[in-house]
Amino acid sequence: MIHPHIADALKAPALVALTEGAVLVRFESMKVYSALAAVARLLEEGRVRPGQTLVDSSSGIYAHALALACHRHGMRCHIVASTTVDATTRAQLEILGATVEQVAPSRDLRLDQELRVRRVREILAERPDVHWMRQYHDDVHYLGYREVADLVADALPAGRGRLTVVGGVGSGASTGGLVEHLRQRDPAVRLVGVQPFGSVTFGSQDHHDPEAIIAGIGSSIDFANVRHHLYDTVHWMDFTHAMAGTVALMREHAVFAGLSTGAAYLAAVHEARRHPDDLHLVVGADTGHRYVDRVHARHAEALDPACLKPFEVGAPEEMAMPWSTMAWDRKGRPGARAGRAA
């Protein structure tokens, strides 16, 4: 196939067998699916017009995806970037035509997120013609993952066991959109969400991981796009365990992936031991380039995954670092949290 734009090529995932009971759906940049479909739908519905400026905050993957979607559809792009956005990503954004402003450096991920949302609101007040994409709250971002679900369902072997999807929760649109559509074919599909400690999404906000850099799969504010009732199980994991999974994925399967993929892989290995008849689909959101210095270059420090196991807890308040897991059983959102950004 000759693609009309590089974004259409980048979004396509590869399905890679890891073990007899696990398959990786590996993306170069998963959120390209989401951003392309979202911008196309907004244009189709007249919610934005050709050439208009689209703005959002991002810790990296969505920023690149939105810049590509804007380039593809002839839109302007403005990104309020997290301190975690690296120089390589920023350079690509700028060359693609996006304007980028990065919030003041902070090791406090909650403050980083709040500063970004605050700055977006300031931009909207200054420039009413700008459209806020609201990747965390506008469910238009679910649309692109329908296509992924169809690709996965058609590619997986017939006669397999029950399908369990394992991936970072993040804004909720990726794992949520994928599983909502998969369950239209098979309601038994399970969803296992992975969170960093410190995220409010599933109640770990009282736990602090000093090395946490997996902000993309957690949040310091409530995300409306997270549909808690979709999740069967939740894993909370610290940096050292996510790093162990990331290095193991490279060492055992030659897959160079990001930290959220490594965390999902470690969770999937545990889930496969508990449910050996299931087929586990590990969501690999992006490559490992952003994590070379902080993760891959430190591979000698990585813990042995064979020696790791989570605390099994019955409620969020029982969790303990460095790794906890809980049966969520498709319950709704935890109690209301302060700091939600609409």
Side-chain angles (χ1 to χ4, degrees):
M1 177 183 295
I2 298 177
H3 297 284
H5 190 274
I6 187 63
D8 300 288
L10 287 179
K11 72 178 187 179
L15 288 163
V16 181
L18 299 177
T19 65
E20 187 175 335
V23 172
L24 175 70
V25 54
R26 180 197 180 272
F27 298 86
E28 183 164 341
S29 181
M30 177 182 66
K31 290 192 176 181
V32 174
Y33 259 112
S34 180
L36 278 177
V39 173
R41 176 60 64 87
L42 292 173
L43 283 165
E44 178 186 314
E45 294 178 347
R47 292 171 60 186
V48 300
R49 65 182 185 279
Q52 190 173 356
T53 298
L54 308 182
V55 64
D56 215 339
S57 73
S58 174
S59 60
I61 300 178
Y62 182 79
H64 182 237
L66 182 59
L68 285 170
C70 286
H71 192 278
R72 170 79 168 80
H73 290 288
M75 309 294 287
R76 294 184 175 88
C77 180
H78 185 84
I79 299 296
V80 179
S82 166
T83 57
T84 61
V85 172
D86 60 284
T88 302
T89 300
R90 178 161 184 155
Q92 291 182 76
L93 295 175
E94 292 172 347
I95 295 170
L96 283 167
T99 52
V100 184
E101 54 181 296
Q102 209 156 0
V103 297
S106 171
R107 291 190 63 82
D108 184 336
L109 295 178
R110 178 182 180 86
L111 177 60
D112 177 83
Q113 209 157 32
E114 289 177 346
L115 287 173
R116 283 188 278 134
V117 172
R118 189 184 309 164
R119 179 56 189 148
V120 170
R121 291 186 183 282
E122 290 172 355
I123 292 168
L124 293 172
E126 296 163 2
R127 301 172 57 190
D129 61 312
V130 170
H131 178 83
W132 185 8
M133 289 298 293
R134 299 174 76 244
Q135 65 151 321
Y136 306 136
H137 306 296
D138 191 335
D139 63 7
V140 72
H141 291 92
Y142 270 68
L143 294 175
Y145 297 111
R146 294 177 181 176
E147 185 178 345
V148 182
D150 288 336
L151 287 172
V152 166
D154 292 341
L156 293 179
R160 56 169 170 75
R162 178 180 58 176
L163 181 63
T164 293
V165 176
V166 187
V169 176
S171 68
S174 57
T175 48
L178 181 58
V179 165
E180 272 198 335
H181 199 62
L182 286 170
R183 283 181 183 161
Q184 291 179 14
R185 299 184 182 217
D186 180 4
V189 172
R190 294 180 66 241
L191 176 55
V192 176
V194 182
Q195 285 269 275
F197 285 99
S199 173
V200 306
T201 308
F202 284 90
S204 69
Q205 66 274 8
D206 295 330
H207 298 264
H208 176 62
D209 178 5
E211 284 203 274
I213 58 170
I214 44 177
I217 65 170
S219 174
S220 63
I221 57 178
D222 273 337
F223 289 166
N225 270 346
V226 177
R227 298 175 183 173
H228 295 75
H229 66 275
L230 296 175
Y231 294 83
D232 295 278
T233 299
V234 179
H235 286 255
W236 297 270
M237 206 174 290
D238 76 350
F239 169 82
T240 60
H241 283 60
M243 176 177 169
T246 305
V247 172
L249 188 57
M250 181 73 175
R251 181 172 288 139
E252 296 166 13
H253 303 289
V255 175
F256 180 56
L259 203 56
S260 66
T261 306
Y265 174 64
L266 187 62
V269 169
H270 173 76
E271 291 292 323
R273 286 195 293 261
R274 292 177 58 87
H275 304 281
D277 295 329
D278 285 9
L279 178 63
H280 294 80
L281 183 72
V282 181
V283 178
D286 63 347
T287 64
H289 294 89
R290 294 196 301 157
Y291 300 100
V292 170
D293 293 334
R294 295 284 301 274
V295 178
H296 296 280
R298 298 169 55 187
H299 60 87
E301 303 171 31
L303 303 173
D304 180 359
C307 301
L308 306 177
K309 65 179 181 179
F311 297 105
E312 305 273 350
V313 301
E317 54 269 23
E318 298 174 7
M319 77 176 69
M321 294 175 67
W323 182 11
S324 290
T325 185
M326 171 186 164
W328 195 260
D329 295 329
R330 306 192 188 186
K331 296 190 293 289
R333 180 185 297 271
R337 308 288 181 196
R340 177 168 174 178

